[in-house]
């Protein structure tokens, strides 16, 4: 059994155990230890089970007199027979599910097979009825309703359901237990007539039946999706057989197309963000959203789902949960999926092109039709990839995929749209993404579902309010509040320091953070470092001193930075705030080895290079920055070949960068807080200087190998111009650029000769300066060339 199957079975076992415990709480009798359950335990055939239940039914009918309900036996046994066949029949597809549940270590599995729990509950209900003097005319209606619910399950004696469908079936069984428990409880309280004579009224039994009905509707939708997926796979398999099957040559061709598209599109990899978000997700959280009516309705009717929340509300973790849920559907063949995490610290992940190229690359191998569309787009429309596609062309190709209606639904999921900047260009990167969403929704593709998460910022809100058909505000959801409480208690119990506190202190912290956190995970997480400093007897005082806002929390964190290294912390903040893509640990630590007072170009002092780059980075301010594992290989936009990087340094949250670069921090009253403000132009200047300092080091005998060994070389080669072209930075670093472009030195030649050089066709410094639009450098090179020619002509 795979790890996933084991995890799913464990989850189902846990749900069943909870249902058994709740039954005992409601009814006052153990579903496991009841005499009827003990008798059923030894029954291994449907005949022996029916015999036991018929005895109970006969006793019930005898208590009524005159056999008032001749259809009662038929109704009950119909339910029993269907359930027994579905879960234990020799050819049934759910037999393995029964075994998986039994194999667990929960209460139910130890004593009695799971499906017999329902049989026991039916018998206990009948036994309770015969002891109560009440009207039973509508009791048959209850059993008839339950019989109708389970009748659909008979299809699984012939079809193989997905895990998603299995979960729905088990939930139906659990809700049946709940319904029977409620009815038994009311009967024992002699209130059967009150709760059953008006099944259309507002009562607990009716609510349970409605929940069963909702689960059946969910099962119908899931079955329809599965059927569509089966039909699609049969069609595809038939086509492959007619074409001679998937031969080795076809596989090699498919692999080559995959490589060609990856190199051509250069799509950013969202799986890194997804893995990190999944690791941050705590067990038992976020499931409320995928189980909500809003989510189910979005899946059914399509269109747009907007999940919004304030900074630090946990939108990215919520998004990862949605992606995992839809990915389960994709694995079963009932959906196609493409997702994208916008990221403020990575240039490729905060614009329309990165999003479109990633979507297309993810979708191309999820259907033969999609692959054919992408192949034509690459080979025919763009001459075997010799021409780069425009954003418009990428968007049109994506729309062509959405027009393939004979396929399962396509889900596009975009996280953190607000991390796309809105300040640069007309339209801005964010505006372009919003326009795409607006166009796709307006085209009403029947098989397209779009989910977007973001803050409720004005420009986004204006578009989303106009477009959205489904909306979730995390700030208003009880499920979000419960997740916060679960998260707090989990951290408090598992933390080495806080876990040693008494129950009173733990409860006090949980209640205080839940109330003050206002459904903001980031605010809550920031308080733990502060609280664990205090002894248990002073926790109440510490809670009273907690800042009310994220800004206040970040200000307190800045004050905690050691005065001796505050300038190092500020230097790292500057680098991270304006980086073209995330630095790895070695690259960022390299900035601490530069002497920025040495002259126009900072000097790289190798003796200052830290022996432990990780410790050097985290020791500055571990609360505001974090080191994360990088998954896979990273491709620089302008270089050849993959760059393997292990650990990336990022701000712990997007709101940290916003705070550091905000006018709020610049206007802070305390100088010791205000000094950490990051201003874009000086920050870009510092990074540009460090990059040039890397490219100009060492001054003599610079070679291909010596340059590549420098930790910052990869970044400097690909991105130094990004920083030099920001506003008037090129003027400030002009002396360094002149030395770098000087054709009489080895620096430009070394860069040109290494395999990191981005422009194979540009061999002269003047041509490269013109390409980048560095007019002052071009003028300098032209003048220098003229002077050299003049000197040669005059001999002077």
């Amino acid at each position: 059994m795979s790890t996933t199957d084991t995890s799913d079975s464990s989850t189902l076992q846990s749900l069943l155990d909870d249902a058994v415990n709740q039954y005992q709480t409601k009814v006052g009798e153990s579903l496991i230890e009841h005499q009827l359950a003990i008798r059923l335990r030894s029954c291994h055939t449907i005949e022996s089970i029916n015999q036991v239940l018929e005895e109970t039914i006969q006793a019930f009918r005898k208590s009524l007199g005159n056999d008032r309900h001749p259809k009662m036996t038929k109704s009950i046994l119909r339910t029993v027979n269907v359930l027994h066949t579905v879960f234990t029949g020799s050819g049934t597809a759910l037999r393995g599910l029964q075994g998986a549940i039994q194999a667990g270590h929960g209460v139910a599995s130890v004593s009695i097979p799971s499906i017999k729990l329902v049989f026991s509950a039916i018998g206990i209900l009948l036994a309770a009825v015969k002891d109560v003097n009440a009207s039973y005319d509508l009791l048959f209606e209850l059993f008839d309703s339950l019989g109708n619910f389970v009748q659909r399950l008979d299809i699984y004696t012939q079809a193989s359901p997905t895990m998603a469908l299995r979960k729905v079936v088990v939930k139906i069984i659990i809700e049946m237990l709940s319904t029977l428990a409620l009815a038994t409880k009311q009967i024992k309280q002699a209130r059967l007539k009150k709760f059953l004579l008006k099944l259309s009224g507002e009562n607990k039994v009716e609510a349970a039946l409605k929940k069963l009905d909702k689960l059946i509707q969910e099962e119908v939708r899931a079955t329809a999706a599965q059927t569509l997926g089966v039909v699609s796979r049969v069609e595809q398999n038939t086509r492959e057989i007619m074409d001679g099957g998937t031969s080795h040559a076809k596989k090699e061709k498919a692999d080559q197309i995959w490589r060609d598209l990856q190199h051509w599109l250069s799509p950013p990899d969202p799986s890194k963000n997804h893995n990190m978000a999944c690791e941050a997700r705590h067990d038992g959280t976020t499931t409320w959203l995928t189980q909500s009516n809003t989510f189910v309705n979005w899946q059914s009717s399509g269109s747009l789902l907007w999940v919004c929340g304030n900074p630090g509300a946990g939108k990215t973790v919520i998004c990862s949960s949605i992606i995992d849920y839809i990915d389960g559907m994709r694995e079963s063949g009932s959906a196609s999926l493409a997702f994208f995490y916008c990221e403020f610290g990575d240039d490729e992940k905060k614009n329309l092109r990165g999003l479109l190229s990633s979507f297309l690359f993810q979708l191309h191998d999820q259907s033969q039709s999609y692959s054919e569309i992408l192949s034509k787009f690459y080979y025919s429309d763009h001459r075997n990839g010799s021409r780069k596609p425009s954003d418009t062309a990428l968007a049109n190709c994506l729309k062509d995929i959405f027009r393939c209606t004979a396929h399962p639904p396509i889900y596009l999921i975009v996280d953190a749209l607000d991390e796309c900047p809105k300040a640069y260009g007309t339209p801005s990167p964010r505006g372009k993404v919003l326009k795409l969403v607006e166009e796709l929704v307006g085209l009403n593709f029947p098989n397209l579902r779009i989910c977007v998460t973001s803050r409720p910022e004005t420009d986004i809100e204006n578009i989303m309010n106009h477009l959205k058909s489904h909306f979730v505000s995390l700030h208003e959801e009880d499920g979000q509040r419960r997740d916060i409480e679960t998260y707090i208690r989990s951290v408090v119990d598992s933390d080495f320091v806080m876990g040693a506190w008494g129950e009173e202190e733990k409860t006090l912290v949980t209640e205080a953070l839940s109330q003050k956190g206002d459904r903001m995970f980031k605010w809550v997480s920031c308080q733990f470092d502060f609280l664990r400093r205090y002894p248990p007897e002073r926790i109440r005082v510490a809670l009273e001193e907690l800042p009310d806002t994220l800004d206040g929390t970040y200000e307190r964190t800045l004050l905690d930075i050691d005065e001796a290294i505050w300038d190092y912390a500020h230097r790292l903040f500057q680098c991270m705030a304006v980086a073209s893509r995330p630095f790895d640990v070695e690259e960022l630590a390299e900035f601490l080895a530069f002497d920025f007072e040495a002259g126009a170009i900072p000097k790289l002092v190798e003796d200052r290079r830290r022996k432990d780059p990780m410790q050097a980075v985290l020791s500055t301010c571990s609360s505001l920055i974090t080191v994360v594992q990088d998954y896979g290989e990273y491709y620089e936009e302008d270089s050849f070949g993959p760059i393997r990087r292990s650990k990336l340094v990022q701000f712990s949250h997007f709101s940290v960068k916003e705070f550091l670069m905000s006018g709020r921090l610049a206007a802070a009253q305390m100088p010791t807080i205000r000094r950490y403000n990051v201003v874009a132009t000086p920050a870009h200047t510092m990074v540009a200087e460090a990059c040039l300092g890397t490219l100009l080091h060492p001054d003599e005998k610079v070679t291909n190998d010596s340059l590549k060994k420098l930790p910052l070389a990869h970044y400097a080669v690909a991105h130094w111009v990004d920083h030099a072209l920001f506003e008037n930075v090129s003027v400030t670093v002009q002396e360094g650029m002149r030395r770098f472009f000087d054709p009489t030195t080895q620096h430009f030649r070394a860069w040109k000769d290494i395999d990191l050089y981005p422009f194979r066709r540009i061999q002269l410094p003047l041509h490269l300066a013109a390409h980048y639009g560095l007019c002052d450098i071009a003028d300098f090179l032209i003048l220098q060339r003229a002077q050299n020619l003049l000197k040669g002509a005059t001999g002077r």
Side-chain angles (χ1 to χ4, degrees), residues 402-416:
F402 299 151
R403 293 187 177 96
C404 298
T405 55
H407 289 77
I410 300 174
Y411 289 83
L412 299 184
I413 302 175
V414 181
D415 177 60

Side-chain angles (χ1 to χ4, degrees), residues 572-609:
L572 297 187
F573 293 159
Q574 288 178 294
C575 297
M576 295 171 63
V578 300
S580 296
R581 51 91 169 150
F583 291 111
D584 64 30
V585 170
E586 289 76 14
E587 287 174 336
L588 189 60
E590 187 78 347
F591 283 93
L592 300 178
F594 279 96
D595 179 4
F596 285 91
E597 305 298 326
I601 297 302
K603 182 179 181 181
L604 177 59
V605 183
E606 296 191 10
D607 289 344
R608 293 187 181 181
R609 190 174 287 154

Side-chain angles (χ1 to χ4, degrees), residues 120-417:
S120 300
I122 292 173
I124 294 172
L125 172 58
L126 293 174
V129 169
K130 72 183 183 64
D131 294 331
V132 176
N133 185 19
S135 172
Y136 312 106
D137 289 340
L138 294 182
L139 183 61
F140 169 72
E141 186 174 337
L142 173 64
F143 284 111
D144 195 50
S145 297
L146 295 178
N148 290 334
F149 285 130
V150 302
Q151 189 172 14
R152 276 195 53 81
L153 303 185
D154 187 48
I155 66 173
Y156 298 123
T157 60
Q158 301 174 8
S160 178
T162 63
M163 179 53 71
L165 281 171
R166 289 181 169 201
K167 292 178 181 178
V168 173
V169 172
V170 171
K171 290 178 183 178
I172 290 173
I173 301 304
I174 290 172
E175 287 306 318
M176 289 182 66
L177 283 177
S178 176
T179 303
L180 293 168
L182 288 168
T184 305
K185 176 181 178 181
Q186 302 306 328
I187 288 170
K188 286 189 173 186
Q189 296 175 354
R191 291 188 289 177
L192 174 65
K193 184 174 182 180
K194 176 180 178 182
F195 283 88
L196 290 182
L197 284 179
K198 294 183 179 180
L199 284 178
S200 62
E202 295 297 328
N203 58 73
K204 295 180 180 179
V205 175
E206 170 63 10
L209 290 174
K210 285 183 177 179
K211 192 168 184 179
L212 267 173
D213 186 55
K214 176 183 175 182
L215 284 169
I216 287 295
Q217 293 176 13
E218 182 179 341
E219 183 266 345
V220 170
R221 287 192 294 268
T223 301
Q226 181 182 356
T227 302
L228 181 60
V230 170
V231 171
S232 176
R233 289 195 299 274
V234 169
E235 179 184 3
Q236 181 175 340
N237 291 339
T238 302
R239 184 185 305 157
E240 290 176 353
I241 292 173
M242 294 178 65
D243 291 341
T246 53
S247 64
H248 179 69
K250 285 187 174 183
K251 183 179 183 303
E252 287 187 347
K253 182 178 179 181
D255 291 343
Q256 184 59 49
I257 292 174
W258 186 90
R259 290 190 293 269
D260 288 344
L261 287 175
Q262 184 182 48
H263 180 74
W264 185 56
L265 293 174
S266 300
D269 182 8
S271 65
K272 303 174 185 179
N273 306 78
H274 182 67
N275 291 334
M276 289 185 285
C278 289
E279 289 175 0
R281 192 167 70 224
H282 281 253
D283 293 339
T285 62
T286 72
T287 56
W288 60 268
L289 178 57
T290 53
Q291 296 174 358
S292 67
N293 289 332
T294 300
F295 189 84
V296 173
N297 291 336
W298 168 63
Q299 288 186 282
S300 301
S301 60
S303 192
L304 175 69
L305 170 65
W306 182 33
V307 180
C308 80
N310 293 328
K315 297 181 291 297
T316 295
V317 173
I318 286 281
C319 185
S320 72
S321 179
I322 296 174
I323 291 171
D324 281 351
Y325 184 89
I326 302 301
D327 196 46
M329 297 172 57
R330 181 195 62 79
E331 291 177 348
S332 70
S334 59
S336 294
L337 167 67
F339 59 90
F340 192 77
Y341 288 82
C342 302
E343 184 181 346
F344 67 91
D346 192 333
D347 285 351
E348 294 185 344
K349 292 181 179 178
K350 56 185 182 184
N351 57 51
L352 178 63
R353 189 174 191 84
L355 180 143
L356 289 171
S357 60
S358 181
F359 279 169
L360 288 171
F361 187 70
Q362 291 178 65
L363 289 172
H364 91 276
D365 63 350
Q366 295 186 39
S367 161
Q368 181 64 29
S369 299
Y370 304 162
S371 179
E372 290 173 357
I373 291 172
L374 262 296
S375 295
K376 177 181 179 297
F377 185 65
Y378 174 75
Y379 291 108
S380 299
D381 298 347
H382 291 83
R383 301 179 182 178
N384 295 336
S386 62
R387 293 188 300 145
K388 286 289 187 179
S390 65
D391 290 357
T392 300
L394 291 171
N396 288 336
C397 183
L398 192 63
K399 293 172 187 176
D400 287 341
I401 288 177
F402 299 151
R403 293 187 177 96
C404 298
T405 55
H407 289 77
I410 300 174
Y411 289 83
L412 299 184
I413 302 175
V414 181
D415 177 60
L417 177 56

Side-chain angles (χ1 to χ4, degrees), residues 8 48 53 117 121 136 171 220 260 369 387 395 411 417 455 469 489 550 555 606 690 702 713 725 757 773 776 783 791:
D8 287 332
S48 59
L53 290 178
L117 297 173
Y136 312 106
K171 290 178 183 178
V220 170
D260 288 344
S369 299
R387 293 188 300 145
Y411 289 83
L417 177 56
R455 300 181 187 182
S469 56
R489 190 62 202 228
L550 270 180
E555 288 182 359
E606 296 191 10
V702 59
L725 292 178
Y757 180 66
D776 291 341
L783 179 60
K791 183 184 297 185

Side-chain angles (χ1 to χ4, degrees), residues 491-528:
V491 172
V492 170
D493 287 340
S494 61
D495 185 80
F496 180 76
V497 175
M498 295 183 288
W501 293 348
E503 186 59 33
E504 180 180 354
E505 287 79 18
K506 291 181 180 180
T507 302
L508 186 64
V509 167
T510 301
E511 292 177 351
L513 294 185
S514 298
Q515 182 178 1
K516 297 187 69 174
D518 196 26
R519 295 174 170 84
M520 293 174 61
F521 278 90
K522 182 57 184 176
W523 181 90
V524 169
S525 67
C526 288
Q527 311 311 318
F528 290 130

Side-chain angles (χ1 to χ4, degrees), residues 469-482:
S469 56
H470 306 283
F471 171 65
V472 174
S473 175
L474 298 182
H475 186 71
E476 300 172 358
E477 294 290 338
D478 286 339
Q480 180 79 349
R481 174 185 53 78
R482 292 192 297 270

